[in-house]
Every structure is written in C-alpha cells, then in structure tokens.
Amino acid sequence: MNMILEFLKDCRKLGGLDQYKLSDQLDCILLAPSFRASSHILYLIFSRGNLKPTLVAKVPRLAGINDSVEREAANLSAIQASRSEGFSSIPHLVALQESHNRKILIETALSGRAMDPIVIRKDHQKCIEMTIDWLLNIYQSTYCPEDVTPDWYERLVEQPIQGFARRIP
C-alpha cells in the first residue's frame, strides 16, 4: 500500500472522510509533473470502479519543504469560508497532516470539462465571459474594505510584475 492510501486509511479511522462517500477500496493514480517549477507529486484518488476522482493529494517532492501546501490549505480554507455555501468551482480542504516528514494536502477533486485549448478555440468569447464572471464572483465574496492598505497596488500588482520581468526579460 502506498503512503497516500495509508494516510487515507488513517483519516478514515478518525472519521474525517465520511462525507466524501468513498468506497472501502481506493485506487490512486500518481502524477509527477515534468515541468521544473512543479514542486509536488499529485495523486488522483478514486473509489474503486469510479472513473472520476473524488479526492486529490498533493505531496511535496522534497521532505521538509511544506510551505506551498500549507499556503494552499490556508487559501482554500479562507476562500471557502468567505461565503456560507462555499464555491463548487474551487477545491475544498479535506486534510493537511504530516506523514513521512512531508505535509500531505488532501482536497476535493473538481469535476466538469476542462477549459482546454480546444474548448477555448471553439468559443473563446464565452470562455472569457465565464472566467470574468467567476473572478467577479470570487471578488464580491471575498472583498473586505478594512483589508485594503495604501500600498495595495504596489504590493499586489507592481511588485509581482517587476519580479516576473526580472525572471523573464
């Protein structure tokens, strides 16, 4: 049994997976992105016999390097808490726990058709409109006027663009 299935077995004993209606038999597919910037190994977790994944696990490639999964878990929790019904278009945090000197992040899998290049070419205007609507919905749900600081533009727009420009001249 691999590390992820062992981890899920332990989570199940604690009752942390009851709401996801997983079968007793789980399977997973390991995805190891080949691009350099990827610092994670991904596992798609399936109930045996189901063709769609129920959960996704993210595990840092290097032991002890857990910042990004901790940040993602915090962001998922914060955005889902921003409105009572949450967002069905954004994964829900299931678990974040350490195992084998790595933080394992478990989140819900998203279902639906990906907005891949073929879909975008077929109806790019609709894709643009759907994306803008989605972003506005998130903005309206998460906007908090007391969080706005005078340096927001420099911090959130100028600095990231300047950092990008330094890396990609």
Side-chain angles (χ1 to χ4, degrees):
M1 183 181 300
N2 71 37
M3 174 178 69
I4 295 301
L5 293 179
E6 278 182 36
F7 179 79
L8 289 170
K9 186 177 176 183
D10 292 342
C11 286
R12 185 173 275 176
K13 286 179 189 172
L14 300 173
L17 299 176
D18 296 340
Q19 67 188 8
Y20 301 103
K21 299 179 178 81
L22 297 169
S23 69
D24 290 337
Q25 297 292 317
L26 298 178
D27 293 311
C28 65
I29 295 175
L30 169 72
L31 301 174
S34 59
F35 54 94
R36 284 181 169 229
S38 174
S39 59
H40 301 97
I41 303 291
L42 302 174
Y43 295 83
L44 302 180
I45 301 156
F46 300 80
S47 285
R48 185 151 301 160
N50 194 341
L51 299 177
K52 293 182 180 179
T54 303
L55 302 174
V56 174
K58 293 185 179 181
V59 182
R61 288 181 190 252
L62 301 173
I65 309 295
N66 297 312
D67 296 354
S68 62
V69 291
E70 290 171 342
R71 188 172 43 256
E72 182 172 348
N75 288 336
L76 289 175
S77 292
I79 198 160
Q80 292 295 357
S82 69
R83 62 183 206 189
S84 60
E85 69 277 11
F87 290 88
S88 62
S89 59
I90 298 172
H92 290 261
L93 175 66
V94 175
L96 177 67
Q97 295 179 6
E98 190 158 329
S99 178
H100 300 91
N101 199 26
R102 286 175 171 80
K103 289 274 177 114
I104 298 176
L105 170 65
I106 308 286
E107 59 190 42
T108 56
L110 296 178
S111 61
R113 182 155 186 211
M115 198 181 287
D116 61 21
I118 293 170
V119 170
I120 294 169
R121 278 192 298 270
K122 189 175 180 180
D123 193 350
H124 69 278
Q125 188 60 39
K126 182 178 178 185
C127 292
I128 291 169
E129 289 169 6
M130 288 173 59
T131 302
I132 290 171
D133 289 345
W134 182 75
L135 289 170
L136 285 172
N137 190 0
I138 291 171
Y139 170 76
Q140 291 166 346
S141 297
T142 59
Y143 177 72
C144 187
E146 56 269 7
D147 288 346
V148 176
T149 58
D151 70 335
W152 73 270
Y153 186 81
E154 292 80 13
R155 188 172 41 88
L156 298 175
V157 178
E158 283 185 352
Q159 289 175 4
I161 289 173
Q162 290 170 0
F164 178 75
R166 282 192 300 275
R167 288 190 299 278
I168 313 292

